[in-house]
Amino acid sequence: MNKKRDLFLRHVAQTSPEPLGLEIVSASGCKLFDVNGKEYLDFISGVSVSNLGHNNIEINNAVIEQINKHAHLLVYGEFIQSAQVEYAELLCSVLPKELNNVYFVNSGAEAIDGAMKLSKRVTGKPEIISCKNAYHGSTHGPLSIMGSEEYKTAFRPLLPDTRLIEFGNFDDLNFITDRTAAVVIEPVQGEAGVRTAKKEYFKALSSRCKEVGAMLVFDEVQTGFGRTGKLFALEHFDVTPDILVLAKALGGGYPIGAFIANEKIMKTLTYNPVLGHITTFGGHPVSCAAGLAALKIMLREKYFNEVAKKEKMFVSLLSDMPHVKEIRSAGLLMAIEFNSFDISSKVIKALLNNGVISDWFLFAPESLRIAPPLIISEDEIAAGCEKIKKIVNEI
Ligand code: PLP
């Protein structure tokens, strides 16, 4: 019996009936190393977090420098903290000019929750609309707008006045009315198994929101920071949301989230009531220092420019496999849909045994998730794909 594994299962709360339970002791670039020295190729980036890979020296140095200055000082928004201010300024400089005010929180779910509150506060309206198969986080607010009843039923009652529409369906835009405070949407649905919609859909959605006075909230928690081949996925659609939600890669490997809007909109959280949104640790200086360093690297090295080429390589190497229904991709966010969950779970387990970390999607368990760090080399892509092909061909 592995004692550490036993303690892990006994004392660390589990919500997965079958946690991987790997003991990773170090990580570097696209590789993870377990306690026995076995090497794993990271094909999921900690679920779209480690876009720059692991153990980046510049991020490490930024963290160390910040730790040597100070960690937490006071609740969010009271003191001027350089890392936070610099990061907010840099983020705003790379976003559409209307998005010029950043509220830092701790996670994606918290940022979505903040965006939901802000939408209600600004519009004075009650209803939040989201999409079927959408995932926006697991706390009560985001859960209330999750696009899967299966995951919601056990936790009802949830927030009232929510409605689901079909992602990409033009007719459903008519459900957005003058009662709607916000439409919360992922520009590319991640947990649905990488589903994209047409540019015209997002244009029509944006017009409909403007027409009825609803906030358009883009959830780029999974698509941000180069994942889809642009720094932000919104650039593919020529649409500027009223509120942009970021997390995951926002922190360069450290916990942070943010909702970003125009200063005029954000100001409504300052009055009636004052302190309309509060967080103790939101925008933690160490996370901001790490995220700031990561964004500087991303802007300097422009890894997002190589994403389309690497995506093509994956798709061409993985085409012509048996048992595959469809391959969907949005940059380095890819889903290999197999004929059944049985096949995808066999592939995922075999990949793990063969030193490749992959996963399925919450609402598309028959699909294999491939979302490696954007820095992945062509040799690593070839090696990982070779293993996938071999395993799938032998099933
Ligand atoms: N939104 C999207 C699109 C996500 O993929 C996730 C997490 O997977 C979240 C929100 C929630 O983020 P967090 O897990 O940091 O709360």
Side-chain angles (χ1 to χ4, degrees):
M1 171 70 79
N2 177 334
K3 185 154 182 273
K4 189 83 71 71
R5 187 181 164 81
D6 185 39
L7 293 174
F8 165 72
L9 293 174
R10 188 142 36 110
H11 294 304
V12 180
Q14 306 292 334
T15 62
S16 162
E18 276 186 83
L20 292 179
L22 273 185
E23 191 178 349
I24 299 296
V25 291
S26 66
S28 174
C30 297
K31 303 270 171 59
L32 307 180
F33 302 90
D34 77 9
V35 67
N36 302 313
K38 181 171 169 183
E39 181 181 301
Y40 298 85
L41 186 53
D42 182 359
F43 259 20
I44 53 169
S45 314
V47 185
S48 303
V49 169
S50 317
N51 286 10
L52 296 175
H54 300 273
N55 215 358
N56 180 287
I57 188 75
E58 284 180 62
I59 298 177
N60 289 357
N61 286 340
V63 167
I64 292 162
E65 208 179 295
Q66 182 58 48
I67 288 170
N68 285 329
K69 286 184 198 154
H70 64 81
H72 176 75
L73 297 174
L74 192 61
V75 292
Y76 173 84
E78 293 293 342
F79 286 175
I80 299 168
Q81 301 186 54
S82 294
Q84 213 178 60
V85 177
E86 277 180 51
Y87 197 17
E89 186 195 16
L90 186 63
L91 276 168
C92 293
S93 76
V94 295
L95 286 168
K97 65 176 184 330
E98 294 84 350
L99 299 171
N100 62 6
N101 205 248
V102 182
Y103 196 120
F104 286 116
V105 288
N106 300 282
S107 68
E110 203 185 332
I112 287 287
D113 221 302
M116 290 167 71
K117 278 178 66 184
L118 179 58
S119 300
K120 286 183 167 175
R121 177 67 185 87
V122 172
T123 63
K125 296 174 181 184
E127 181 189 56
I128 311 272
I129 289 183
S130 56
C131 290
K132 290 175 189 164
N133 288 326
Y135 183 79
H136 299 293
S138 194
T139 55
H140 259 85
L143 183 64
S144 300
I145 59 168
M146 188 185 283
S148 158
E149 190 52 38
E150 186 191 341
Y151 286 87
K152 289 159 83 163
T153 308
F155 304 104
R156 288 194 181 281
L158 294 169
L159 279 183
D161 253 321
T162 60
R163 175 192 275 275
L164 295 177
I165 59 173
E166 199 179 312
F167 183 75
N169 182 319
F170 285 81
D171 291 340
D172 273 15
L173 298 181
N174 292 321
F175 289 120
I176 305 166
T177 67
D178 57 10
R179 293 190 69 255
T180 310
V183 178
V184 182
I185 191 164
E186 300 158 89
V188 176
Q189 285 197 309
E191 295 311 311
V194 188
R195 304 269 172 189
T196 52
K198 292 192 176 97
K199 189 175 188 171
E200 297 79 55
Y201 172 75
F202 287 102
K203 292 232 169 246
L205 169 64
S206 171
S207 303
R208 181 69 185 158
C209 286
K210 282 197 174 70
E211 200 181 320
V212 299
M215 295 284 104
L216 176 58
V217 180
F218 265 20
D219 178 344
E220 289 231 33
V221 167
Q222 206 161 155
T223 54
F225 300 95
R227 177 64 46 201
T228 68
K230 302 269 187 196
L231 189 57
F232 296 103
L234 59 84
E235 296 166 42
H236 294 289
F237 304 111
D238 257 348
V239 163
T240 300
D242 300 290
I243 306 174
L244 176 67
V245 175
L246 301 173
K248 292 198 187 273
L250 174 69
Y254 289 77
I256 192 167
F259 54 103
I260 305 177
N262 189 267
E263 192 186 0
K264 278 195 220 114
I265 293 176
M266 201 70 92
K267 270 267 180 297
T268 60
L269 291 176
T270 311
Y271 306 100
N272 301 323
V274 296
L275 299 173
H277 198 69
I278 321 176
T279 163
T280 298
F281 282 122
H284 192 281
V286 175
S287 297
C288 280
L292 175 63
L295 182 53
K296 283 182 180 168
I297 297 167
M298 182 60 82
L299 293 171
R300 187 186 68 220
E301 304 296 334
K302 297 189 169 47
Y303 289 114
F304 44 87
N305 284 341
E306 294 165 29
V307 162
K309 191 171 104 194
K310 292 177 180 175
E311 173 189 11
K312 259 196 202 133
M313 189 173 167
F314 268 106
V315 174
S316 90
L317 287 173
L318 297 177
S319 56
D320 297 333
M321 284 190 301
H323 314 297
V324 175
K325 222 171 171 179
E326 188 179 34
I327 298 183
R328 293 179 296 275
S329 62
L332 286 179
L333 184 56
M334 292 167 279
I336 316 292
E337 184 179 338
F338 291 106
N339 291 326
S340 68
F341 173 55
D342 183 49
I343 297 175
S344 69
S345 67
K346 276 186 186 142
V347 173
I348 291 163
K349 277 184 195 137
L351 278 170
L352 194 63
N353 288 336
N354 282 276
V356 179
I357 312 270
S358 61
D359 201 2
W360 40 278
F361 296 88
L362 204 53
F363 307 139
E366 66 295 328
S367 296
L368 176 76
R369 181 198 298 268
I370 301 182
L374 310 188
I375 59 162
I376 192 164
S377 69
E378 295 191 357
D379 284 350
E380 286 169 326
I381 296 174
C385 288
E386 194 54 44
K387 289 185 179 175
I388 296 176
K389 274 168 83 169
K390 188 165 183 296
I391 287 164
V392 175
N393 278 319
E394 283 170 5
I395 276 178

